[in-house]
Amino acid sequence: MADTPLPARAPAPPSPRSARPVRFLVWCLHLAAPLAGLWLLLARPHLDVEWHHNPGHFWLVLIVALVNVAMGVWMGVAARGRGDARLFLVSLAFLSSAGFLAVHALLTPGMVTADAGIGFDLSHPVGLVIASVFAFASSLDLRAGRGARVLAFERPLWILLAALMAAWTVAGLLGLPPLHLPAQQRDVEGLMVPVAVASALLYVVAAVRYYLMFRRSASAVLLSLVTAFALLAEAMVTVVLADKWHLSWWHWHVLLVAAFGFIAYSAYVQYRREGATAGVFDAIVLEETARRIRAEYEDAIEEFVSRLGEGERTGASPPAGTDFTAFAERFRLSEGQIAVVERAAAALAAERATSRRLAALAEVARRTRVGDQDEDAFVRSVLEAVRPAYGDVNVGLASDGAVRIEDRVYPVDRDPGAGAVRDGRSVRPLVVRGGTAGVLEGPLQEREDDPASLAVLAGQLSISLENVRLYRELGTLFRQYMSPDVAASLLADPDQAALGGRVVRVSALFADLRGFTAFSEAVEPAEIVRMLNRYHGAAVPAILDNGGTIVQFVGDALLALFNAPARQADHEARAVRAALAMRDASERIAARSPDWPRFRIGVNTGPALVGNIGSERLRGFNAMGDAVNVAARLQSLAEPGRVVVGDATLRGLGEGVRSRSLGDLEVKGRQGRVPAHEVLALEPAGGTAAGTP
């Protein structure tokens, strides 16, 4: 199957499905009517009267031929401009048939030459035969380099065809052999019958293949080409069967006029639709040519869109007129088409600019994350996100009663105004809690009601800046009283502060200072506070650095959870690493202050009810359950400077742990014994073991 050419421009809207069978039937009747007329003339010889009028034949045929030679040349020029092999072969088909028709007119007896030899009778049949070969070749699959090989013979084929027509004309006019021989109707008929049958079959095959292309990609030019090839096949048959100068003989002249007329009319319709000569025959071109044409149009429009978008971002007028003029010259567009392309490019540029700005606004909101952010770093990050969409925008934050952007100063006690302009740039205030917290500068925009205008950007930046400050204030306050994970969760989702909880498998870490009571009775309160701050100052980083959440301090004791509220696949290892780090830090502190108590730590793993516990007025994040209770009991059984873990915790550590079994210990509050182990060291994923032997 020949590849289907896809038009570079959108085809006309398809006809209603119910009307297609009727149109197909009418089209078939148009093709059948000439054959029916020929049959009638041949079956009723008295109707096939002779009409011998040399001047009428000369002028009718010559005018039709020259018009269609011009159309064939037009196709050839279009084929060369597109670099398309199929259109080139179609142009040769029409040039050979129309060109030899002109030769047939010139050899009309009694006009330019006195006698009519065999050159007059055979001139156009020969043209039809040559045209059938080109028509058939044009319908073949010319992909995968075959089209390029055809175009390699473009100039030789043109020269050969022109030379053949010129030689035939000269020989016919001057009576040179073999065209000087007198025409013998029956001899010619006997010679032409097999050639005419083969030629007609080539036309029929070409028409069928083009019809299949038309079914897949409807086009008036394609349908006219199908009709023309079908009529040329009928003309080839009529040439053999008709008697010269009789109505049947004139019949094939009419068929030629109709075939050429269909193509000329479809070209005219396409020209009226396009408003320019470029693209009139694009429906015939190869699919790869159509893709290339579309790509050229798309690249050109993309360039215009980019220039229009750049002009809008910078506030400068883009040199669109010059660019569109060059585009029009390249594609031979009419003024109306240029205006359509300009409007389409402007609309597309505006749509894409709006999309980019909306995406930039969303990115500003995304970068306003929960946490402690530096305002200047946030502004730099925002400018990086919005400048590709908004152009040269600047943001300045208030400091010492004014906003400074380069050499421009905006007092914060005066609102610069919703539509203020300074130095040819739009100025928008950033309002936080009713006051001017900064200023946004950007290019002037024509549409201030755009959903992604500078005014909207200023509003989004104001909200984001206020949120950054609020998150920083809340984060500082929250993190002084709770774990960062809990604080971040509550800031991101306040509903998590609701009373209640759910059962989660956690690793609970309990630690307290052995001998704290005796120590506190022997020293001043200030010394107690100093000691606690030193130990907790070492313990808290050890827990937080391993992803733990400290849920409570009770005097000298603390409780930390792992795998809650944030989920951690290796929570057992995290809890033990934190315990070993606490143990080592407390040992270093105790070495400098030997009279101070030392940490003892217990870790246990199991299910626990994790959530917010308390009342509507006061609540706290905590965990309850047997796993937490066992962790507290293991801690109470540990010796100072030791880390004792439960059996489930040890199993969760996997390889790389060094420990010793403490046996089954009696735990207060439990009927059965609890297997316990002292962890000596734990090798981290990186290599070196945590803890000491």
Side-chain angles (χ1 to χ4, degrees):
M1 183 67 62
D3 52 305
T4 303
L6 299 179
R9 295 170 176 82
S15 59
R17 190 174 298 271
S18 60
R20 294 176 188 176
V22 176
R23 292 191 177 186
F24 179 76
L25 179 61
V26 172
W27 178 68
C28 291
L29 290 175
H30 282 157
L31 295 180
L35 290 179
L38 176 63
W39 173 82
L40 180 63
L41 292 175
L42 297 179
R44 301 288 188 270
H46 64 280
L47 297 177
D48 192 17
V49 298
E50 181 179 0
W51 183 56
H52 197 135
H53 193 274
N54 292 1
H57 176 273
F58 176 81
W59 290 111
L60 171 65
V61 174
L62 182 63
I63 292 174
V64 171
L66 292 179
V67 169
N68 286 280
V69 165
M71 188 174 62
V73 172
W74 182 14
M75 283 187 182
V77 172
R80 174 168 292 184
R82 297 301 195 204
D84 187 80
R86 171 175 292 152
L87 188 56
F88 165 65
L89 291 173
V90 172
S91 71
L92 288 182
F94 277 89
L95 279 173
S96 56
S97 59
F100 273 96
L101 184 63
V103 174
H104 177 70
L106 292 175
L107 297 181
T108 301
M111 298 303 296
V112 181
T113 181
D115 298 322
I118 196 172
F120 172 72
D121 290 343
L122 292 182
S123 55
H124 195 254
V126 168
L128 286 175
V129 171
I130 296 174
S132 68
V133 175
F134 289 131
F136 173 75
S138 71
S139 70
L140 298 177
D141 186 352
L142 298 175
R143 294 174 296 180
R146 289 183 286 270
R149 288 193 291 272
V150 170
L151 290 177
F153 293 94
E154 179 181 8
R155 185 179 295 275
L157 287 174
W158 275 85
I159 294 174
L160 181 61
L161 182 61
L164 181 60
M165 288 189 292
W168 193 286
T169 303
V170 171
L173 292 177
L174 299 181
L176 300 178
L179 302 186
H180 69 291
L181 298 175
Q184 299 294 328
Q185 176 68 24
R186 295 307 165 196
D187 294 341
V188 171
E189 180 180 318
L191 176 66
M192 286 298 298
V193 167
V195 177
V197 170
S199 177
L201 287 176
L202 291 179
Y203 278 124
V204 170
V205 172
V208 170
R209 296 175 74 91
Y210 275 106
Y211 177 73
L212 294 176
M213 298 179 200
F214 169 79
R215 288 288 303 272
R216 297 175 59 183
S217 180
S219 166
V221 174
L222 266 180
L223 185 60
S224 297
L225 193 62
V226 173
T227 307
F229 286 159
L231 292 176
L232 290 178
E234 295 180 9
M236 194 75 250
V237 173
T238 308
V239 166
V240 176
L241 300 179
D243 290 330
K244 188 165 61 173
W245 296 110
H246 287 72
L247 291 183
S248 57
W249 184 80
W250 286 96
H251 181 74
W252 67 261
H253 291 77
V254 175
L255 287 175
L256 293 175
V257 173
F260 295 140
F262 271 109
I263 293 293
Y265 178 74
S266 65
Y268 172 74
V269 170
Q270 191 70 14
Y271 170 77
R272 288 289 303 270
R273 181 181 299 164
E274 299 289 340
T277 58
V280 168
F281 301 110
D282 283 352
I284 303 175
V285 299
L286 296 168
E287 183 178 357
E288 57 194 46
T289 304
R291 284 197 299 267
R292 187 177 70 248
I293 294 171
R294 286 197 297 269
E296 290 176 355
Y297 275 90
E298 290 169 1
D299 290 343
I301 293 179
E302 284 289 343
E303 180 181 350
F304 301 148
V305 169
S306 299
R307 290 180 178 271
L308 290 170
E310 181 65 25
E312 186 171 350
R313 287 194 297 272
T314 59
S317 297
T322 303
D323 291 339
F324 279 112
T325 300
F327 179 71
E329 292 176 354
R330 177 181 177 186
F331 294 101
R332 300 187 296 278
L333 301 182
S334 65
E335 293 184 1
Q337 289 175 314
I338 296 175
V340 171
V341 172
E342 285 179 335
R343 291 195 298 271
L348 184 57
E351 180 181 351
R352 290 187 177 178
T354 300
S355 298
R356 287 194 302 269
R357 289 172 182 173
L358 290 174
L361 291 173
E363 181 64 17
V364 171
R366 190 189 68 82
R367 297 193 183 195
T368 312
R369 61 183 182 277
V370 174
D372 188 7
Q373 292 193 81
D374 178 76
E375 290 185 10
D376 292 330
F378 170 71
V379 168
R380 288 194 297 271
S381 173
V382 165
L383 289 177
E384 176 186 331
V386 302
R387 277 176 173 163
Y390 282 88
D392 184 20
V393 297
N394 287 307
V395 173
L397 298 180
S399 177
D400 296 330
V403 178
R404 294 173 175 82
I405 302 177
E406 297 178 351
D407 58 346
R408 298 175 294 281
V409 180
Y410 302 93
V412 297
D413 57 349
R414 291 202 306 270
D415 186 348
V421 177
R422 181 165 177 177
D423 297 336
R425 293 171 61 80
S426 180
V427 179
R428 299 282 173 177
L430 304 182
V431 180
V432 175
R433 298 177 186 175
T436 301
V439 167
L440 167 68
E441 291 182 341
L444 293 175
Q445 293 182 319
E446 295 181 2
R447 288 188 54 199
E448 293 298 336
D449 59 341
D450 192 306
S453 65
L454 279 175
V456 177
L457 176 60
Q460 179 62 55
L461 286 176
S462 298
I463 295 172
S464 297
L465 184 59
E466 184 170 1
N467 287 340
V468 165
R469 293 181 176 180
L470 177 61
Y471 290 150
R472 185 177 62 189
E473 294 171 3
L474 291 176
T476 301
L477 178 63
F478 277 27
R479 285 175 178 80
Q480 290 175 347
Y481 292 93
M482 61 183 67
S483 165
D485 283 341
V486 178
S489 297
L490 291 176
L491 287 172
D493 184 8
D495 288 343
Q496 294 189 40
L499 291 174
R502 55 180 173 170
V503 176
V504 179
R505 184 175 176 83
V506 299
S507 290
L509 183 154
F510 256 104
D512 79 342
L513 294 169
R514 175 72 178 271
F516 173 76
T517 303
F519 176 79
S520 62
E521 292 175 352
V523 299
E524 295 293 327
E527 181 70 7
I528 298 173
V529 173
R530 190 169 73 89
M531 183 269 296
L532 288 175
N533 287 340
R534 284 287 301 280
Y535 275 122
H536 289 323
V540 169
I543 294 172
L544 298 183
D545 290 347
N546 283 281
T549 298
I550 301 173
V551 295
Q552 60 179 240
F553 289 99
V554 182
D556 64 319
L558 63 85
L559 168 61
L561 297 178
F562 294 81
N563 204 38
R567 299 292 174 261
Q568 300 157 330
D570 58 342
H571 55 92
E572 299 95 342
R574 290 173 178 268
V576 172
R577 288 196 186 97
L580 293 173
M582 289 175 58
R583 180 197 68 182
D584 296 343
S586 67
E587 290 300 303
R588 289 191 295 270
I589 294 173
R592 291 191 295 270
S593 304
D595 296 335
W596 285 8
R598 297 157 65 194
F599 267 127
R600 57 181 179 175
I601 307 168
V603 180
N604 191 49
T605 300
L609 180 64
V610 178
N612 298 295
I613 302 169
S615 69
E616 291 295 336
R617 300 186 64 181
L618 185 63
R619 67 197 66 182
F621 183 80
N622 212 326
M624 296 185 301
D626 183 65
V628 180
N629 295 335
V630 170
R633 298 296 181 258
L634 292 175
Q635 166 260 315
S636 66
L637 295 175
E639 294 296 326
R642 298 288 185 265
V643 176
V644 178
V645 303
D647 203 45
T649 303
L650 185 67
R651 289 197 305 270
L653 297 177
E655 299 180 358
V657 60
R658 289 198 296 114
S659 63
R660 66 185 182 91
S661 175
L662 301 178
D664 295 342
L665 304 181
E666 291 186 1
V667 174
K668 183 179 179 181
R670 287 180 63 94
Q671 293 181 356
R673 290 173 160 292
V674 175
H677 310 268
E678 180 186 352
V679 175
L680 303 176
L682 178 63
E683 183 178 343
T688 306
T692 57

